[in-house]
Amino acid sequence: GIHSMTGSSLYIPAMTVTADGSAFLVYNVSNASTFVSVAYAARQATDLANTLPYFGSIQAGLGPFTGSHGSTAQRWGDITSATLDPTDPTRVWISAEYAAANNQWATVIAELGF
């Protein structure tokens, strides 16, 4: 399937399906007026096939990120993940990077579920 947002770039995704058949997709999003942020899209098992009707922001970007800090290039996207909660397989834990202040990146960890 395709998940897109007009005028935005979506990248570095991770996806998982829960024990009850719900699906969660986490990814970075940015555009001309949005610093690199973390967002999600999701569907319940009962939703129409090939749809992700639930979506939202997890962490807004806080500043510009140029990919370098002094003479050292910074990597991006090494930690995006979506993993089932071992104590409740209908819940998902995500981790992803976002643009923090001062040309730095930071990590957000969040729990998702219906």
Side-chain angles (χ1 to χ4, degrees):
I2 296 173
H3 179 63
S4 64
M5 296 168 63
T6 302
S8 295
S9 296
L10 310 181
Y11 45 97
I12 315 296
M15 185 174 195
T16 195
V17 177
T18 63
D20 64 1
S22 298
F24 293 88
L25 173 69
V26 62
Y27 51 88
N28 286 128
V29 59
S30 62
N31 58 46
S33 61
T34 302
F35 299 124
V36 180
S37 302
V38 178
Y40 75 94
R43 67 180 305 276
Q44 294 178 306
T46 55
D47 291 327
L48 292 174
N50 299 315
T51 64
L52 292 168
Y54 307 97
F55 53 89
S57 177
I58 294 173
Q59 174 65 54
L62 303 177
F65 183 82
T66 64
S68 65
H69 188 69
S71 62
T72 305
Q74 295 187 34
R75 297 170 60 151
W76 192 273
D78 292 345
I79 60 154
T80 304
S81 68
T83 305
L84 294 178
D85 185 320
T87 63
D88 182 354
T90 66
R91 308 290 295 175
V92 174
W93 286 94
I94 65 90
S95 66
E97 291 171 277
Y98 64 96
N102 302 318
N103 195 37
Q104 297 291 316
W105 59 269
T107 304
V108 63
I109 298 171
E111 182 184 18
L112 300 174
F114 290 107

PDB file of all heavy atoms in Angstrom, residues 77-103:
ATOM      1  N   GLY A  77      18.088   7.837  11.270  1.00  0.00           N
ATOM      2  CA  GLY A  77      17.195   6.732  11.024  1.00  0.00           C
ATOM      3  C   GLY A  77      17.619   5.386  11.557  1.00  0.00           C
ATOM      4  O   GLY A  77      16.993   4.375  11.258  1.00  0.00           O
ATOM      5  N   ASP A  78      18.662   5.343  12.366  1.00  0.00           N
ATOM      6  CA  ASP A  78      19.140   4.052  12.877  1.00  0.00           C
ATOM      7  C   ASP A  78      18.222   3.423  13.909  1.00  0.00           C
ATOM      8  O   ASP A  78      18.346   2.244  14.204  1.00  0.00           O
ATOM      9  CB  ASP A  78      20.520   4.206  13.515  1.00  0.00           C
ATOM     10  CG  ASP A  78      21.596   4.518  12.512  1.00  0.00           C
ATOM     11  OD1 ASP A  78      21.352   4.339  11.303  1.00  0.00           O
ATOM     12  OD2 ASP A  78      22.673   4.956  12.926  1.00  0.00           O
ATOM     13  N   ILE A  79      17.313   4.179  14.484  1.00  0.00           N
ATOM     14  CA  ILE A  79      16.580   3.649  15.635  1.00  0.00           C
ATOM     15  C   ILE A  79      15.074   3.558  15.445  1.00  0.00           C
ATOM     16  O   ILE A  79      14.373   3.255  16.389  1.00  0.00           O
ATOM     17  CB  ILE A  79      16.875   4.479  16.895  1.00  0.00           C
ATOM     18  CG1 ILE A  79      16.458   5.928  16.686  1.00  0.00           C
ATOM     19  CG2 ILE A  79      18.328   4.380  17.285  1.00  0.00           C
ATOM     20  CD1 ILE A  79      16.122   6.632  17.954  1.00  0.00           C
ATOM     21  N   THR A  80      14.547   3.825  14.265  1.00  0.00           N
ATOM     22  CA  THR A  80      13.107   3.725  14.089  1.00  0.00           C
ATOM     23  C   THR A  80      12.674   2.276  14.281  1.00  0.00           C
ATOM     24  O   THR A  80      13.205   1.370  13.649  1.00  0.00           O
ATOM     25  CB  THR A  80      12.684   4.223  12.697  1.00  0.00           C
ATOM     26  OG1 THR A  80      13.154   5.551  12.529  1.00  0.00           O
ATOM     27  CG2 THR A  80      11.176   4.194  12.528  1.00  0.00           C
ATOM     28  N   SER A  81      11.708   2.072  15.181  1.00  0.00           N
ATOM     29  CA  SER A  81      11.232   0.709  15.416  1.00  0.00           C
ATOM     30  C   SER A  81       9.789   0.732  15.882  1.00  0.00           C
ATOM     31  O   SER A  81       9.307   1.729  16.418  1.00  0.00           O
ATOM     32  CB  SER A  81      12.101  -0.007  16.461  1.00  0.00           C
ATOM     33  OG  SER A  81      11.931   0.589  17.729  1.00  0.00           O
ATOM     34  N   ALA A  82       9.111  -0.373  15.658  1.00  0.00           N
ATOM     35  CA  ALA A  82       7.750  -0.594  16.144  1.00  0.00           C
ATOM     36  C   ALA A  82       7.713  -2.040  16.632  1.00  0.00           C
ATOM     37  O   ALA A  82       7.862  -2.969  15.844  1.00  0.00           O
ATOM     38  CB  ALA A  82       6.728  -0.368  15.033  1.00  0.00           C
ATOM     39  N   THR A  83       7.531  -2.225  17.931  1.00  0.00           N
ATOM     40  CA  THR A  83       7.663  -3.535  18.552  1.00  0.00           C
ATOM     41  C   THR A  83       6.469  -3.830  19.452  1.00  0.00           C
ATOM     42  O   THR A  83       6.021  -2.951  20.190  1.00  0.00           O
ATOM     43  CB  THR A  83       8.955  -3.578  19.406  1.00  0.00           C
ATOM     44  OG1 THR A  83      10.060  -3.218  18.592  1.00  0.00           O
ATOM     45  CG2 THR A  83       9.183  -4.939  19.998  1.00  0.00           C
ATOM     46  N   LEU A  84       5.980  -5.056  19.405  1.00  0.00           N
ATOM     47  CA  LEU A  84       4.866  -5.455  20.270  1.00  0.00           C
ATOM     48  C   LEU A  84       5.277  -5.411  21.735  1.00  0.00           C
ATOM     49  O   LEU A  84       6.398  -5.779  22.087  1.00  0.00           O
ATOM     50  CB  LEU A  84       4.409  -6.872  19.929  1.00  0.00           C
ATOM     51  CG  LEU A  84       3.785  -7.082  18.552  1.00  0.00           C
ATOM     52  CD1 LEU A  84       3.425  -8.547  18.364  1.00  0.00           C
ATOM     53  CD2 LEU A  84       2.577  -6.184  18.364  1.00  0.00           C
ATOM     54  N   ASP A  85       4.358  -4.990  22.584  1.00  0.00           N
ATOM     55  CA  ASP A  85       4.576  -5.013  24.024  1.00  0.00           C
ATOM     56  C   ASP A  85       4.550  -6.477  24.469  1.00  0.00           C
ATOM     57  O   ASP A  85       3.564  -7.177  24.211  1.00  0.00           O
ATOM     58  CB  ASP A  85       3.464  -4.219  24.714  1.00  0.00           C
ATOM     59  CG  ASP A  85       3.666  -4.088  26.215  1.00  0.00           C
ATOM     60  OD1 ASP A  85       4.098  -5.069  26.855  1.00  0.00           O
ATOM     61  OD2 ASP A  85       3.379  -3.014  26.737  1.00  0.00           O
ATOM     62  N   PRO A  86       5.583  -6.964  25.140  1.00  0.00           N
ATOM     63  CA  PRO A  86       5.610  -8.381  25.512  1.00  0.00           C
ATOM     64  C   PRO A  86       4.552  -8.768  26.548  1.00  0.00           C
ATOM     65  O   PRO A  86       4.205  -9.937  26.660  1.00  0.00           O
ATOM     66  CB  PRO A  86       7.019  -8.585  26.078  1.00  0.00           C
ATOM     67  CG  PRO A  86       7.489  -7.221  26.449  1.00  0.00           C
ATOM     68  CD  PRO A  86       6.792  -6.255  25.532  1.00  0.00           C
ATOM     69  N   THR A  87       4.016  -7.790  27.255  1.00  0.00           N
ATOM     70  CA  THR A  87       2.985  -8.108  28.252  1.00  0.00           C
ATOM     71  C   THR A  87       1.573  -7.887  27.720  1.00  0.00           C
ATOM     72  O   THR A  87       0.612  -8.329  28.341  1.00  0.00           O
ATOM     73  CB  THR A  87       3.171  -7.261  29.534  1.00  0.00           C
ATOM     74  OG1 THR A  87       3.014  -5.873  29.213  1.00  0.00           O
ATOM     75  CG2 THR A  87       4.547  -7.497  30.142  1.00  0.00           C
ATOM     76  N   ASP A  88       1.445  -7.197  26.582  1.00  0.00           N
ATOM     77  CA  ASP A  88       0.139  -6.960  25.960  1.00  0.00           C
ATOM     78  C   ASP A  88       0.335  -6.848  24.452  1.00  0.00           C
ATOM     79  O   ASP A  88       0.628  -5.778  23.932  1.00  0.00           O
ATOM     80  CB  ASP A  88      -0.503  -5.688  26.493  1.00  0.00           C
ATOM     81  CG  ASP A  88      -1.887  -5.431  25.902  1.00  0.00           C
ATOM     82  OD1 ASP A  88      -2.321  -6.172  24.983  1.00  0.00           O
ATOM     83  OD2 ASP A  88      -2.539  -4.470  26.344  1.00  0.00           O
ATOM     84  N   PRO A  89       0.211  -7.955  23.718  1.00  0.00           N
ATOM     85  CA  PRO A  89       0.509  -7.955  22.286  1.00  0.00           C
ATOM     86  C   PRO A  89      -0.510  -7.200  21.429  1.00  0.00           C
ATOM     87  O   PRO A  89      -0.454  -7.261  20.206  1.00  0.00           O
ATOM     88  CB  PRO A  89       0.558  -9.439  21.926  1.00  0.00           C
ATOM     89  CG  PRO A  89      -0.275 -10.112  22.952  1.00  0.00           C
ATOM     90  CD  PRO A  89      -0.131  -9.289  24.205  1.00  0.00           C
ATOM     91  N   THR A  90      -1.434  -6.461  22.074  1.00  0.00           N
ATOM     92  CA  THR A  90      -2.303  -5.561  21.310  1.00  0.00           C
ATOM     93  C   THR A  90      -1.782  -4.124  21.370  1.00  0.00           C
ATOM     94  O   THR A  90      -2.379  -3.226  20.783  1.00  0.00           O
ATOM     95  CB  THR A  90      -3.760  -5.592  21.827  1.00  0.00           C
ATOM     96  OG1 THR A  90      -3.803  -5.050  23.149  1.00  0.00           O
ATOM     97  CG2 THR A  90      -4.314  -7.006  21.798  1.00  0.00           C
ATOM     98  N   ARG A  91      -0.672  -3.913  22.084  1.00  0.00           N
ATOM     99  CA  ARG A  91      -0.053  -2.593  22.221  1.00  0.00           C
ATOM    100  C   ARG A  91       1.304  -2.609  21.528  1.00  0.00           C
ATOM    101  O   ARG A  91       1.943  -3.649  21.404  1.00  0.00           O
ATOM    102  CB  ARG A  91       0.140  -2.215  23.696  1.00  0.00           C
ATOM    103  CG  ARG A  91      -1.090  -2.332  24.559  1.00  0.00           C
ATOM    104  CD  ARG A  91      -2.154  -1.326  24.296  1.00  0.00           C
ATOM    105  NE  ARG A  91      -1.703   0.027  24.614  1.00  0.00           N
ATOM    106  CZ  ARG A  91      -2.427   1.101  24.380  1.00  0.00           C
ATOM    107  NH1 ARG A  91      -3.611   1.013  23.838  1.00  0.00           N
ATOM    108  NH2 ARG A  91      -1.972   2.280  24.690  1.00  0.00           N
ATOM    109  N   VAL A  92       1.754  -1.427  21.085  1.00  0.00           N
ATOM    110  CA  VAL A  92       3.010  -1.289  20.344  1.00  0.00           C
ATOM    111  C   VAL A  92       3.855  -0.200  20.992  1.00  0.00           C
ATOM    112  O   VAL A  92       3.344   0.856  21.377  1.00  0.00           O
ATOM    113  CB  VAL A  92       2.718  -0.908  18.872  1.00  0.00           C
ATOM    114  CG1 VAL A  92       3.993  -0.617  18.115  1.00  0.00           C
ATOM    115  CG2 VAL A  92       1.928  -2.013  18.193  1.00  0.00           C
ATOM    116  N   TRP A  93       5.147  -0.453  21.100  1.00  0.00           N
ATOM    117  CA  TRP A  93       6.107   0.565  21.527  1.00  0.00           C
ATOM    118  C   TRP A  93       6.888   0.999  20.294  1.00  0.00           C
ATOM    119  O   TRP A  93       7.349   0.163  19.528  1.00  0.00           O
ATOM    120  CB  TRP A  93       7.054   0.018  22.587  1.00  0.00           C
ATOM    121  CG  TRP A  93       6.382  -0.131  23.918  1.00  0.00           C
ATOM    122  CD1 TRP A  93       5.785  -1.256  24.410  1.00  0.00           C
ATOM    123  CD2 TRP A  93       6.199   0.889  24.886  1.00  0.00           C
ATOM    124  NE1 TRP A  93       5.243  -0.993  25.644  1.00  0.00           N
ATOM    125  CE2 TRP A  93       5.491   0.321  25.966  1.00  0.00           C
ATOM    126  CE3 TRP A  93       6.570   2.230  24.955  1.00  0.00           C
ATOM    127  CZ2 TRP A  93       5.147   1.052  27.098  1.00  0.00           C
ATOM    128  CZ3 TRP A  93       6.230   2.950  26.093  1.00  0.00           C
ATOM    129  CH2 TRP A  93       5.530   2.365  27.139  1.00  0.00           C
ATOM    130  N   ILE A  94       7.027   2.309  20.123  1.00  0.00           N
ATOM    131  CA  ILE A  94       7.792   2.826  18.982  1.00  0.00           C
ATOM    132  C   ILE A  94       8.966   3.660  19.495  1.00  0.00           C
ATOM    133  O   ILE A  94       8.931   4.208  20.601  1.00  0.00           O
ATOM    134  CB  ILE A  94       6.912   3.672  18.023  1.00  0.00           C
ATOM    135  CG1 ILE A  94       6.395   4.961  18.685  1.00  0.00           C
ATOM    136  CG2 ILE A  94       5.754   2.852  17.508  1.00  0.00           C
ATOM    137  CD1 ILE A  94       7.302   6.150  18.506  1.00  0.00           C
ATOM    138  N   SER A  95       9.987   3.731  18.685  1.00  0.00           N
ATOM    139  CA  SER A  95      11.077   4.673  18.929  1.00  0.00           C
ATOM    140  C   SER A  95      11.465   5.265  17.583  1.00  0.00           C
ATOM    141  O   SER A  95      11.388   4.592  16.549  1.00  0.00           O
ATOM    142  CB  SER A  95      12.281   3.987  19.583  1.00  0.00           C
ATOM    143  OG  SER A  95      12.857   3.057  18.694  1.00  0.00           O
ATOM    144  N   ALA A  96      11.841   6.531  17.592  1.00  0.00           N
ATOM    145  CA  ALA A  96      12.238   7.209  16.362  1.00  0.00           C
ATOM    146  C   ALA A  96      12.993   8.484  16.709  1.00  0.00           C
ATOM    147  O   ALA A  96      12.885   9.004  17.822  1.00  0.00           O
ATOM    148  CB  ALA A  96      11.015   7.530  15.501  1.00  0.00           C
ATOM    149  N   GLU A  97      13.733   8.988  15.733  1.00  0.00           N
ATOM    150  CA  GLU A  97      14.463  10.242  15.896  1.00  0.00           C
ATOM    151  C   GLU A  97      13.621  11.420  15.420  1.00  0.00           C
ATOM    152  O   GLU A  97      12.796  11.272  14.531  1.00  0.00           O
ATOM    153  CB  GLU A  97      15.745  10.216  15.066  1.00  0.00           C
ATOM    154  CG  GLU A  97      16.783   9.247  15.571  1.00  0.00           C
ATOM    155  CD  GLU A  97      17.924   9.104  14.598  1.00  0.00           C
ATOM    156  OE1 GLU A  97      17.779   8.316  13.650  1.00  0.00           O
ATOM    157  OE2 GLU A  97      18.948   9.795  14.784  1.00  0.00           O
ATOM    158  N   TYR A  98      13.891  12.581  15.997  1.00  0.00           N
ATOM    159  CA  TYR A  98      13.305  13.830  15.520  1.00  0.00           C
ATOM    160  C   TYR A  98      14.361  14.922  15.637  1.00  0.00           C
ATOM    161  O   TYR A  98      15.373  14.752  16.326  1.00  0.00           O
ATOM    162  CB  TYR A  98      12.031  14.195  16.292  1.00  0.00           C
ATOM    163  CG  TYR A  98      12.241  14.480  17.766  1.00  0.00           C
ATOM    164  CD1 TYR A  98      12.394  15.793  18.215  1.00  0.00           C
ATOM    165  CD2 TYR A  98      12.277  13.457  18.697  1.00  0.00           C
ATOM    166  CE1 TYR A  98      12.588  16.055  19.568  1.00  0.00           C
ATOM    167  CE2 TYR A  98      12.459  13.712  20.036  1.00  0.00           C
ATOM    168  CZ  TYR A  98      12.618  15.009  20.467  1.00  0.00           C
ATOM    169  OH  TYR A  98      12.805  15.270  21.790  1.00  0.00           O
ATOM    170  N   ALA A  99      14.143  16.023  14.950  1.00  0.00           N
ATOM    171  CA  ALA A  99      15.089  17.139  14.985  1.00  0.00           C
ATOM    172  C   ALA A  99      14.901  17.918  16.280  1.00  0.00           C
ATOM    173  O   ALA A  99      13.818  18.443  16.545  1.00  0.00           O
ATOM    174  CB  ALA A  99      14.891  18.044  13.781  1.00  0.00           C
ATOM    175  N   ALA A 100      15.945  17.963  17.088  1.00  0.00           N
ATOM    176  CA  ALA A 100      15.918  18.739  18.321  1.00  0.00           C
ATOM    177  C   ALA A 100      16.517  20.123  18.029  1.00  0.00           C
ATOM    178  O   ALA A 100      16.828  20.443  16.887  1.00  0.00           O
ATOM    179  CB  ALA A 100      16.730  18.013  19.392  1.00  0.00           C
ATOM    180  N   ALA A 101      16.667  20.925  19.043  1.00  0.00           N
ATOM    181  CA  ALA A 101      17.248  22.258  18.867  1.00  0.00           C
ATOM    182  C   ALA A 101      18.754  22.152  18.599  1.00  0.00           C
ATOM    183  O   ALA A 101      19.371  21.112  18.849  1.00  0.00           O
ATOM    184  CB  ALA A 101      16.991  23.091  20.117  1.00  0.00           C
ATOM    185  N   ASN A 102      19.316  23.211  18.065  1.00  0.00           N
ATOM    186  CA  ASN A 102      20.767  23.340  17.878  1.00  0.00           C
ATOM    187  C   ASN A 102      21.369  22.295  16.951  1.00  0.00           C
ATOM    188  O   ASN A 102      22.454  21.783  17.203  1.00  0.00           O
ATOM    189  CB  ASN A 102      21.489  23.324  19.228  1.00  0.00           C
ATOM    190  CG  ASN A 102      21.018  24.409  20.148  1.00  0.00           C
ATOM    191  OD1 ASN A 102      20.816  25.539  19.718  1.00  0.00           O
ATOM    192  ND2 ASN A 102      20.805  24.077  21.407  1.00  0.00           N
ATOM    193  N   ASN A 103      20.657  21.939  15.863  1.00  0.00           N
ATOM    194  CA  ASN A 103      21.165  20.999  14.868  1.00  0.00           C
ATOM    195  C   ASN A 103      21.519  19.638  15.479  1.00  0.00           C
ATOM    196  O   ASN A 103      22.495  19.012  15.114  1.00  0.00           O
ATOM    197  CB  ASN A 103      22.372  21.594  14.130  1.00  0.00           C
ATOM    198  CG  ASN A 103      22.701  20.821  12.864  1.00  0.00           C
ATOM    199  OD1 ASN A 103      21.811  20.358  12.162  1.00  0.00           O
ATOM    200  ND2 ASN A 103      23.970  20.664  12.575  1.00  0.00           N
TER     201      ASN A 103
END
